[in-house]
Amino acid sequence: MRSTVSPPVFFGRLSFVMDTLLDLQRYEVYGIFNDKTPTRDIRIIQRNLGQIVDDFIDRAIDDNKRKLEKIKTAKARYENYEKFLIALISAFDCADTFWTGNKTCPHYTGPLFTQENYERVQCLYDGLDELYDPALR
């Protein structure tokens, strides 16, 4: 979750982590967790969700920039960046579908990103128009 640059993988792992922590909560009554409990970890993730997702966005953008540096033509760079941003915003739009849980464990149904995260990605996507050069057609 903290190293991937793939939107579907990121949201799938984030959702899976939350599901796993929800499942582990049932064992807290046995006192097997010391300082770090699943409930505590869920709260930490929820409290830091915006930063966790921002870190992912930064990683994904940096990875895409490295790929763009290797592309020779402006048209191909623009098309690659456009494809990247479409995949990124599409992943936000269907973030809860990359891991749907299983029937034996509880499933996390809370948010997987903040409104600010979505607005940031939307702004990047909307900025494509400013980068578009009609000469690329």
Side-chain angles (χ1 to χ4, degrees), residues 28-116:
E28 289 179 7
V29 297
Y30 300 110
I32 59 175
F33 301 103
N34 294 327
D35 295 337
K36 298 179 181 181
T37 66
T39 298
R40 176 185 164 273
D41 290 345
I42 288 171
R43 287 187 186 131
I44 288 171
I45 291 171
Q46 289 172 328
R47 188 172 38 246
N48 297 307
L49 186 62
Q51 186 59 53
I52 291 167
V53 177
D54 269 343
D55 290 346
F56 158 71
I57 295 169
D58 291 342
R59 276 194 316 276
I61 290 171
D62 289 345
D63 180 68
N64 184 255
K65 282 181 183 177
R66 282 191 295 279
K67 290 176 183 174
L68 293 177
E69 289 171 358
K70 297 175 184 175
I71 298 174
K72 295 183 191 240
T73 68
K75 180 180 180 182
R77 280 191 300 274
Y78 177 84
E79 289 172 351
N80 182 286
Y81 186 61
E82 179 183 40
K83 183 179 175 182
F84 163 73
L85 288 179
I86 289 170
L88 185 62
I89 199 157
S90 296
F92 272 77
D93 288 337
C94 58
D96 60 345
T97 65
F98 296 113
W99 170 257
T100 56
N102 59 43
K103 298 191 186 322
T104 61
C105 299
H107 182 57
Y108 177 75
T109 57
L112 295 173
F113 54 87
T114 65
Q115 183 63 33
E116 291 81 12

Side-chain angles (χ1 to χ4, degrees), residues 78 81-82 85-86 123-132:
Y78 177 84
Y81 186 61
E82 179 183 40
L85 288 179
I86 289 170
C123 185
L124 289 169
Y125 179 75
D126 291 344
L128 272 172
D129 291 338
E130 297 169 16
L131 297 175
Y132 181 71

Side-chain angles (χ1 to χ4, degrees), residues 5-36:
V5 294
S6 166
V9 171
F10 173 77
F11 285 116
R13 288 180 182 171
L14 177 58
S15 191
F16 176 73
V17 165
M18 296 302 280
D19 280 9
T20 302
L21 291 170
L22 285 173
D23 189 38
L24 289 172
Q25 277 182 322
R26 64 183 164 159
Y27 299 104
E28 289 179 7
V29 297
Y30 300 110
I32 59 175
F33 301 103
N34 294 327
D35 295 337
K36 298 179 181 181

